[in-house]
Amino acid sequence: MSTPIWRRYLRLFGTDVAADVDDELQFHLTMRTEELVEEGWAPEEARQEAERLFGNVSAVASECRQLGERRLRTQRRSSFFKELSGDLAFALRMANGRRLLSAVVIVSLALGIGVNIAIFSVIKGVRLDRLPVERANELVLFKWTAQEWPRLFSLHGTLSDTETGGIMSSSFSFSAYRRLAEHQDVLSSVFAFAPIDRLNVNVNGEAVLAEGQVVSGTFFPALGLRPKIGRLIGPGDDRPESAPVVVLSHTFWRRQLHSDPSVLGRTVTINGHPFSVIGIVPRGFDGTLQIGDSPSIYLPLAQVQKVVLRQRVLESANHWFLRVMGRLEPGVDLELARSALAPLLLRTVEEDLGVAPGSDGVLEPSVPQLILLSGARALDERRADMVGALTAALGVTVLVLIIACANAATLLLAGAVARRKEMAVRLSLGAGMSRITRQLITENLILAAAAGVLGFILSLWMSRGMVLLLSSQFDSQLALDVAPDLGVLGFAVLASLLTGISFGIAPALKMSKIQPAEDLRSGDERAGQSKSSLRIGRVLVVGQVALSLILLVVAGLFFQTVTRLASVDPGFS
């Protein structure tokens, strides 16, 4: 039995292990059958006898197919790595042979890749940064929203617009906090806090200005924090008759007191009032305020009147200054908790401010209505603004990287002219265009990989510099985790890979226009450059100029917007 002619042609597209095994077994059976026929056997009987003598044909065929497929995979893998190692070695020799060109391409791409990785790291740190506390996903942040400005009380805190044209805030009165804290069916704990700006702190006879945060007695227990030394503020400290105590941040303790453990029990003066130091918060915890606001001093909420020179804020129903958070009970989601707690806020507004629903039960547009959000990142209004600004900056740096890719493509395109004869010879000797294209891509990926490694190293310094630059806009050092992780490494690899492909397309397209006979017949290395082949270089140059102009306009508008935003008075404290 001979191999069908159609199957022979299929072998042009690669080895068919199953067909080869079947052909080989049929060949042996056919030869044995013919031998038996020559000895006097009938054809049918000879065939049956040949199969009997051979054994289980199906089992042998299955085993042979498995061995053949295993061998084919080994051969293909060996061939792939052999060709790859050859391509890499040749690419390294080419890069070494044109060191100046390679250095210019690598450095320009590294700067573009590095700044993109750095901004991505900072965005990740701002967006994904969570409170360093136990089970942060269980925390909820209290906010309220209204369709019109509630002019019945004074607001101290952030105010933002909603998608429906209303307003939203996270500030509550002390009476609203107490009423919410009494409802423990859906929340295991509720705690309150508020920032205090520019406290005059006298430590060891030295006066310094420090940021503070007043916290309820349930603040530290609800977060599950453990002190570095001493103890933290508890419910027993949050009473008007309790002794005035204070907890210091780890940063303040290290910078102002040089990590002196004997600070416990020492008296510090805050705005002219003595407080006793009882503990130091753990390292890495920078409070629950807006990103960039890291308090140095933590005071009990009951002692706020001693350091705030305003009206009696705790007794005033019109003074909304507290931020409120809580921890969900197991099995309770945000919507269930909001449904249970929303009537409590309405009751507070009705009793304290005299605002009640109409006779038809419809609320006035200015009545605050409770909403609950995830509190894993605490206050997040400023965080969202920073993410938006950094994302816009990332878009600008992507344009820079595109320009760098166009610049690298232009340089490599010029170098490709000198290699036309080389490629023409390789094509004439039987190399396919796909093989040459793969070699060119490998050379480009080598340059992109080197640029990626250098860019990743540069991004380590760039990201820290960006954090310092952002910190200069606030009164404290931003505690952002910009250390590289799998996400950053993945972004770096993807950026390098896309960069290598991007700036390698133009040289590959130019090489695809090579005419071996014409290039080999001509003694000029620049032979074969038609108008169509030169068009690629012109497009790249025009593209670079256009992108540069766009980048200049975008950078100018971005700088002008940031300058205006920095000078805008928000209208509230």
Side-chain angles (χ1 to χ4, degrees):
M1 181 182 294
S2 60
T3 302
I5 189 65
W6 58 270
R7 182 177 291 180
R8 295 178 182 176
Y9 284 115
L10 286 179
R11 306 291 171 80
L12 296 174
F13 299 97
T15 304
D16 188 345
V17 174
D20 290 343
V21 170
D22 292 340
D23 291 346
E24 189 68 20
L25 294 181
Q26 290 300 326
F27 172 76
H28 285 286
L29 290 174
T30 300
M31 294 298 295
R32 185 58 176 161
T33 300
E34 292 177 355
E35 291 177 0
L36 292 175
V37 170
E38 291 177 357
E39 294 177 3
W41 291 64
E44 290 296 329
E45 295 177 351
R47 180 69 179 184
Q48 295 176 2
E49 180 65 13
E51 291 178 353
R52 186 188 67 81
L53 294 174
F54 189 86
N56 190 333
V57 178
S58 299
V60 173
S62 177
E63 184 177 357
C64 290
R65 290 191 193 102
Q66 292 177 4
L67 292 173
E69 290 174 355
R70 191 179 307 136
R71 180 182 179 187
L72 181 61
R73 286 195 298 268
T74 303
Q75 289 177 343
R76 287 175 175 173
R77 188 162 49 246
S78 175
S79 176
F80 171 79
F81 284 110
K82 183 177 180 180
E83 291 182 359
L84 179 61
S85 62
D87 290 344
L88 291 176
F90 185 79
L92 291 173
R93 288 198 300 271
M94 289 298 300
N96 185 58
R98 44 182 186 179
R99 297 177 184 176
L100 181 59
L101 176 62
S102 300
V104 172
V105 170
I106 290 173
V107 171
S108 61
L109 293 177
L111 292 174
I113 293 174
V115 70
N116 278 274
I117 297 174
I119 293 184
F120 179 81
S121 301
V122 176
I123 292 177
K124 179 188 70 69
V126 173
R127 193 182 188 90
L128 303 181
D129 187 39
R130 297 162 68 94
L131 289 175
V133 299
E134 298 178 353
R135 305 185 308 279
N137 59 303
E138 297 178 359
L139 297 175
V140 294
L141 175 65
F142 289 68
K143 289 190 176 185
W144 57 264
T145 181
Q147 290 303 311
E148 295 180 3
W149 169 253
R151 300 185 181 277
L152 298 177
F153 56 83
S154 61
L155 176 71
H156 294 268
T158 58
L159 191 69
S160 58
D161 297 328
T162 64
E163 296 179 355
T164 59
I167 57 176
M168 180 188 299
S169 178
S170 56
S171 298
F172 293 83
S173 66
F174 180 69
S175 60
Y177 157 66
R178 281 192 307 183
R179 192 181 295 274
L180 293 170
E182 292 171 356
H183 196 89
Q184 297 294 321
D185 296 340
V186 292
L187 299 175
S188 60
S189 58
V190 179
F191 55 93
F193 56 93
I196 305 179
D197 299 331
R198 304 181 70 81
L199 293 173
N200 189 346
V201 182
N202 191 297
V203 183
N204 296 334
E206 179 183 356
V208 295
L209 290 177
E211 302 298 316
Q213 181 176 348
V214 292
V215 299
S216 63
T218 54
F219 180 86
F220 289 112
L223 293 177
L225 290 173
R226 297 179 179 84
K228 176 68 176 180
I229 59 173
R231 67 178 182 86
L232 302 177
I233 295 172
D237 302 308
D238 191 23
R239 298 171 183 169
E241 67 274 11
S242 300
V245 296
V246 64
V247 170
L248 306 180
S249 72
H250 191 278
T251 302
F252 187 84
W253 177 55
R254 176 172 52 85
R255 292 181 178 176
Q256 299 296 329
L257 300 170
H258 310 290
S259 303
D260 183 6
S262 64
V263 69
L264 297 180
R266 190 178 303 176
T267 299
V268 298
T269 302
I270 303 176
N271 286 2
H273 296 274
F275 287 81
S276 177
V277 178
I278 61 172
I280 308 297
V281 299
R283 183 176 184 178
F285 181 75
D286 294 293
T288 52
L289 302 176
Q290 299 285 356
I291 184 171
D293 294 339
S294 299
S296 302
I297 307 292
Y298 295 87
L299 304 167
L301 180 58
Q303 306 293 332
V304 64
Q305 202 61 53
K306 293 183 178 180
V307 294
V308 177
L309 301 179
R310 294 194 184 102
Q311 57 180 321
R312 304 188 66 83
V313 293
L314 297 184
E315 288 79 5
S316 174
N318 285 318
H319 201 80
W320 289 46
F321 73 105
L322 284 176
R323 280 65 160 180
V324 182
M325 292 180 63
R327 186 178 289 274
L328 293 171
E329 286 279 10
V332 178
D333 59 15
L334 289 174
E335 183 56 32
L336 179 60
R338 191 205 68 81
S339 300
L341 297 171
L344 301 178
L345 179 62
L346 293 178
R347 193 181 311 163
T348 300
V349 173
E350 180 179 353
E351 295 179 0
D352 294 350
L353 305 179
V355 178
S359 58
D360 54 357
V362 178
L363 295 175
E364 295 183 9
S366 61
V367 175
Q369 299 184 52
L370 183 68
I371 59 174
L372 295 182
L373 302 175
S374 172
R377 299 176 184 86
L379 301 182
D380 57 354
E381 293 89 354
R382 185 183 295 166
R383 188 185 305 272
D385 294 339
M386 289 181 64
V387 170
L390 289 171
T391 303
L394 181 61
V396 174
T397 57
V398 168
L399 280 178
V400 174
L401 182 57
I402 293 175
I403 294 175
C405 289
N407 183 49
T410 303
L411 294 174
L412 293 177
L413 195 61
V417 174
R419 302 183 63 185
R420 293 184 62 88
K421 278 204 168 183
E422 172 198 338
M423 299 304 171
V425 170
R426 296 180 66 178
L427 287 172
S428 300
L429 293 177
M433 182 54 67
S434 61
R435 183 70 182 83
I436 293 178
T437 302
R438 189 175 70 181
Q439 176 62 52
L440 292 174
I441 292 177
T442 303
E443 295 176 11
N444 296 331
L445 290 179
I446 285 289
L447 297 177
V453 172
L454 180 58
F456 183 78
I457 295 174
L458 292 175
S459 71
L460 300 178
W461 285 281
M462 290 180 180
S463 58
R464 293 168 188 166
M466 290 180 184
V467 172
L468 293 176
L469 181 62
L470 291 173
S471 299
S472 65
Q473 307 299 317
F474 309 106
D475 294 329
S476 59
Q477 173 69 34
L478 285 179
L480 294 179
D481 181 14
V482 294
D485 56 8
L486 291 179
V488 175
L489 289 175
F491 180 84
V493 172
L494 181 62
S496 302
L497 181 62
L498 293 178
T499 299
I501 294 175
S502 299
F503 75 79
I505 289 178
L509 288 176
K510 190 172 185 65
M511 289 303 176
S512 66
K513 305 293 184 180
I514 290 178
Q515 300 294 331
E518 181 179 351
D519 286 331
L520 291 175
R521 190 166 47 247
S522 173
D524 185 5
E525 290 187 347
R526 296 181 179 269
Q529 294 188 67
S530 62
K531 293 183 178 180
S532 60
S533 64
L534 293 175
R535 191 178 299 123
I536 299 176
R538 294 172 181 171
V539 168
L540 287 173
V541 173
V542 173
Q544 282 181 274
V545 175
L547 287 174
S548 299
L549 291 175
I550 293 174
L551 182 60
L552 287 174
V553 173
V554 171
L557 293 175
F558 184 74
F559 178 77
Q560 187 178 13
T561 301
V562 171
T563 303
R564 288 180 177 178
L565 287 175
S567 60
V568 169
D569 182 6
F572 52 85
S573 58

